Amino acid sequence: MKKLIVITHPNLEESKVNNSWINELKKYPDDFIIHSLYDNYPNLDFNITDEQNLLSAHDEIIFQFPFHWFSTPFALKKYIDEVLAYGWAFGPSGDKIKGKKIHFAVSTGGKKESYDATSAISVSDLLNDFKLSFQYCGCIVDKLHVFYGAMFNPSEQSIQENTLAYINTFK
Ligand SMILES: Cc1cc2nc3c(=O)[nH]c(=O)nc-3n(C[C@H](O)[C@H](O)[C@H](O)COP(=O)(O)O)c2cc1C
């Protein structure tokens, strides 16, 4: 079954990393369905039923986004608040995403060292509330792929290598 990639990037025209990932994903139409929230909903006025049907139709979902203030862009928080609804994702009869595998692909402006430093918190740790939300709905939170250091003028080669690693991680 194809894997669903839910992309939340408010400024894809300017993106290097997420666009590189998207361009590579497009080479594998039998493996991935690309779903960009900002392209489909410029005003973030989500069609909840459509979004729920899309999640229902896939067993593995990858949430791809740039790190904003050590978290997801707010649009993804809005999506989760609205789409993972009571009685659908949790609560009575709320079992519609139970058992699905959830992965994350995240680009950061900051370097790996700043996230690995003993006093800092890892990207994985910083995603704990999102992981917990999906676990609460019965999902299995699985892989995390990261590109670090997007704000430090990364080479085309480093982006390309990371892009191939992305595909190998999720294919
Ligand atoms: C509003 C905003 C907040 C950001 N906050 C962070 C942050 O907390 N940590 C970080 O490492 N990078 C942060 N960044 C940098 C982005 O994560 C980075 O530009 C992005 O991952 C690059 O990916 P792209 O080339 O696909 O746009 C922030 C960028 C913006 C616009």
Side-chain angles (χ1 to χ4, degrees):
M1 183 187 274
K2 293 184 192 187
K3 291 165 190 164
L4 175 66
I5 319 283
V6 177
I7 296 164
T8 313
H9 195 306
N11 193 15
L12 265 180
E13 316 79 56
E14 305 271 313
S15 156
K16 285 191 178 163
V17 178
N18 282 264
N19 256 338
S20 174
W21 290 347
I22 291 168
N23 288 336
E24 195 67 22
L25 287 164
K26 283 181 178 166
K27 295 180 185 170
Y28 305 94
D30 292 340
D31 296 299
F32 301 113
I33 299 245
I34 298 170
H35 182 59
S36 163
L37 294 184
Y38 274 96
D39 284 337
N40 283 278
Y41 307 103
N43 298 324
L44 303 180
D45 188 10
F46 303 125
N47 181 321
I48 307 297
T49 306
D50 283 359
E51 293 307 308
Q52 289 176 338
N53 288 341
L54 201 53
L55 292 180
S56 290
H58 297 89
D59 290 341
E60 286 191 56
I61 302 137
I62 296 146
F63 289 93
Q64 173 185 322
F65 51 88
F67 234 23
H68 280 182
W69 290 109
F70 306 101
S71 185
T72 70
F74 75 93
L76 185 55
K77 176 70 167 70
K78 181 177 189 290
Y79 171 98
I80 288 169
D81 284 357
E82 295 177 1
V83 177
L84 305 193
Y86 177 76
W88 187 81
F90 69 101
S93 312
D95 58 357
K96 305 300 184 292
I97 55 171
K98 194 175 172 188
K100 293 185 185 294
K101 270 195 184 168
I102 304 295
H103 312 290
F104 295 98
V106 182
S107 60
T108 73
K111 291 182 179 172
K112 190 167 190 298
E113 303 89 272
S114 26
Y115 286 97
D116 286 350
T118 38
S119 57
I121 307 173
S122 69
V123 171
S124 179
D125 289 341
L126 288 162
L127 292 174
N128 274 346
D129 51 350
F130 288 90
K131 293 190 209 167
L132 187 56
S133 301
F134 285 105
Q135 284 164 346
Y136 185 71
C137 299
C139 299
I140 301 148
V141 174
D142 194 3
K143 297 173 188 168
L144 167 66
H145 175 82
V146 183
F147 181 96
Y148 293 98
M151 283 165 64
F152 292 85
N153 199 19
S155 66
E156 288 301 322
Q157 189 188 339
S158 67
I159 295 175
Q160 189 53 29
E161 283 171 6
N162 180 279
T163 298
L164 296 180
Y166 176 118
I167 298 295
N168 287 334
T169 300
F170 298 120
K171 201 158 173 282

